[in-house]
Amino acid sequence: QLQASGGGLAQAGGSLRLSCAPSGRFFSFVVMGWYRQAPGKQRELVAEVTDSGDTLYEDPVKGRFTISRDNAENTVYLQMSHLKPEDTAVYYCNARTTRSWLGTNSYWGPGTQVTVSS
């Protein structure tokens, strides 16, 4: 299981840092990333990073969020800066064993709440 931490309350323009790591022994993940789900909306990708360092960001967070990972610890981080109220959501960590979703082993964390006040 994946364990996430670092969520909470921030003011608009502020910063938060999320981290996620597996509890127990896991094989290496090729892709680790963060998704979020706001009330009444579908879960959406925020950013993901491969074990070789390739990153992908969705447009709403480009230039504000930075994803990184520690391959040795199978840990992924999300540094969120210049936060906006529309970033308010439950953030979910995801890790999978292949680049493609097809045939992969995928794992989700339980979610951590991020609330940004205006």
Side-chain angles (χ1 to χ4, degrees), residues 1-4 20 43 91-95 107-112:
Q1 184 171 346
L2 300 177
Q3 299 290 340
C20 175
R43 190 175 298 188
Y91 283 70
Y92 296 90
C93 172
N94 174 265
Y107 302 86
W108 291 93
T112 184

Side-chain angles (χ1 to χ4, degrees), residues 15-83:
S15 300
L16 286 172
R17 187 182 191 226
L18 306 181
S19 63
C20 175
S23 58
R25 189 173 181 84
F26 270 75
F27 30 72
S28 296
F29 298 115
V30 173
V31 183
M32 300 186 78
W34 292 92
Y35 289 70
R36 67 185 181 186
Q37 187 168 17
K41 295 188 177 181
Q42 290 188 331
R43 190 175 298 188
E44 62 181 8
L45 173 67
V46 176
E48 60 182 22
V49 57
T50 69
D51 54 358
S52 58
D54 297 328
T55 58
L56 173 67
Y57 295 92
E58 288 302 291
D59 286 344
V61 307
K62 283 182 180 177
R64 300 188 299 119
F65 291 9
T66 302
I67 191 169
S68 60
R69 64 184 285 177
D70 180 335
N71 288 335
E73 298 294 328
N74 254 345
T75 301
V76 64
Y77 305 95
L78 186 68
Q79 178 66 46
M80 304 184 292
S81 302
H82 303 291
L83 284 163

